[in-house]
């Protein structure tokens, strides 16, 4: 079969920022892109590397506070480019530690301030108690499940939309039932798991936009069988809502 086009997928900082299975998001995106009938080039972006000329999709994962410190300098170098790509509507999914760095700032539990990109209007402070466990959300893309483990409590700015509403779990801060943040085609979320294989509709939402950017045409989805992911998600929802 001839390819419908080629999508350039960038994984930001796979060495420093990829825990609790976040690498699975990149693998899921690449595999689904292929199954939809497109080609994919996966670019691992390590500190000091140059971004590809026309990236169509970005994934960034979680990490320790120390991992976040290690990518700060490079993030400052690519900040303007990332902001331009966001303005052009490039889809990005940023999990946990990278979600925090796409916000205004992350202040660690020791009081060290790590400045963020300010792409999402959120601010995060580390706490002595961690928010850990399974999580279920209601989102604009339906029910989303995952696993969270963060000390950071995130507060949304006045006009900032959340990614979802917490039905079970902690979310942004354990108090206001918001989870994550969305601005345009950029999604920040605390959900590991990894989030995308467990929630294929979310993966395809990102891929659809990337395919449009890559080809200049509407996304032409393939016929994918997501029965196993759907069963796993339903089971986790039942288990967590009953807890
Ligand atoms: N270091 C951050 C926190 O604990 C991010 C953790 C993570 O990415 N899982 O809040």
């Amino acid at each position: 079969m001839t390819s419908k086009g080629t999508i350039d997928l960038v994984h930001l900082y796979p060495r420093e920022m990829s825990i609790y299975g976040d690498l699975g998001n990149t693998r899921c995106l690449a595999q689904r892109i292929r199954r939809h009938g497109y080609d994919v080039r996966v670019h691992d972006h390590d500190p000091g590397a140059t971004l590809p000329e026309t990236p169509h999709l970005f994934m960034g994962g979680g990490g320790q506070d120390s991992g976040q410190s290690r990518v700060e300098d490079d993030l400052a170098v690519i900040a303007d480019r990332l902001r331009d790509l966001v303005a052009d509507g490039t889809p990005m999914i940023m999990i946990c530690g990278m979600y925090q760095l796409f916000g205004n700032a992350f202040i660690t539990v020791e009081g060290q301030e790590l400045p963020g990109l300010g792409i999402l209007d959120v601010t995060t402070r580390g706490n002595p108690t961690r928010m850990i466990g399974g999580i279920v959300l209601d989102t604009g893309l339906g029910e989303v499940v995952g696993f969270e483990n963060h000390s950071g409590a995130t507060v949304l700015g006045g006009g900032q939309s959340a990614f979802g509403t917490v039905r079970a779990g902690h979310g942004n801060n354990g108090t206001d039932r918001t989870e994550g943040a969305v601005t345009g085609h950029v999604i920040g979320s605390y959900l590991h798991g990894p989030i995308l294989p467990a929630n294929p509709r979310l993966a395809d939402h990102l891929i659809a936009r990337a395919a449009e950017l890559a080809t200049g045409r509407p996304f032409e989805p393939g016929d994918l069988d997501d029965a196993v992911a759907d069963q796993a998600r339903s089971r986790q929802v039942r288990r967590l809502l009953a807890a």
Side-chain angles (χ1 to χ4, degrees):
M1 201 179 75
T2 54
S3 165
K4 296 173 183 170
T6 301
I7 294 174
D8 285 282
L9 162 62
V10 180
H11 184 153
L12 289 179
Y13 314 123
R15 284 200 305 248
E16 294 82 2
M17 303 298 293
S18 182
I19 50 172
Y20 310 124
D22 290 342
L23 172 62
N25 291 326
T26 302
R27 291 188 175 154
C28 169
L29 287 168
Q31 195 60 262
R32 290 186 77 84
I33 288 169
R34 288 188 201 102
R35 289 185 186 160
H36 282 303
Y38 294 79
D39 285 324
V40 61
R41 280 188 290 254
V42 179
H43 306 263
D44 282 347
H45 178 85
D46 298 317
T50 309
L51 287 173
E53 215 157 289
T54 54
H56 307 114
L57 179 55
F58 281 80
M59 202 302 285
Q64 316 291 333
D65 294 4
S66 56
Q68 290 173 285
S69 300
R70 288 206 299 278
V71 304
E72 277 278 291
D73 286 352
D74 187 75
L75 207 51
V77 172
I78 63 172
D80 285 343
R81 183 84 199 286
L82 287 177
R83 290 194 192 98
D84 287 348
L85 289 161
V86 168
D88 291 344
T90 309
M92 305 192 182
I93 177 117
M94 296 295 141
I95 304 300
C96 204
M98 284 305 292
Y99 164 42
Q100 295 171 349
L101 295 182
F102 264 55
N104 300 315
F106 170 47
I107 299 118
T108 69
V109 69
E110 289 87 19
Q112 186 196 359
E113 174 158 348
L114 303 180
L117 295 171
I119 289 171
L120 298 167
D121 183 12
V122 303
T123 304
T124 304
R125 280 174 196 278
N127 288 286
T129 43
R130 301 188 70 81
M131 293 178 254
I132 306 177
I135 176 164
V136 181
L137 311 177
D138 281 328
T139 77
L141 296 166
E143 212 159 49
V144 168
V145 301
F147 164 78
E148 59 182 329
N149 184 349
H150 50 112
S151 86
T154 298
V155 175
L156 304 177
Q160 176 66 57
S161 305
F163 171 54
T165 305
V166 176
R167 285 174 65 194
H170 302 278
N172 277 330
N173 48 57
T175 55
D176 67 10
R177 299 189 58 224
T178 66
E179 203 294 312
V182 184
T183 296
H185 294 276
V186 179
I187 299 174
S189 173
Y190 274 111
L191 272 63
H192 302 285
I195 188 172
L196 296 182
N199 302 280
R201 194 171 160 198
L202 174 60
D204 284 357
H205 174 74
L206 297 161
I207 291 169
R209 177 66 188 157
E212 270 172 32
L213 287 175
T215 64
R217 292 190 308 277
F219 176 45
E220 297 167 26
D223 186 16
L224 274 57
D225 179 0
D226 292 323
V228 172
D230 293 345
Q231 278 172 31
R233 196 173 55 259
S234 303
R235 197 186 158 93
Q236 199 183 355
V237 169
R238 277 201 305 280
R239 192 173 62 79
L240 291 170
L241 294 185

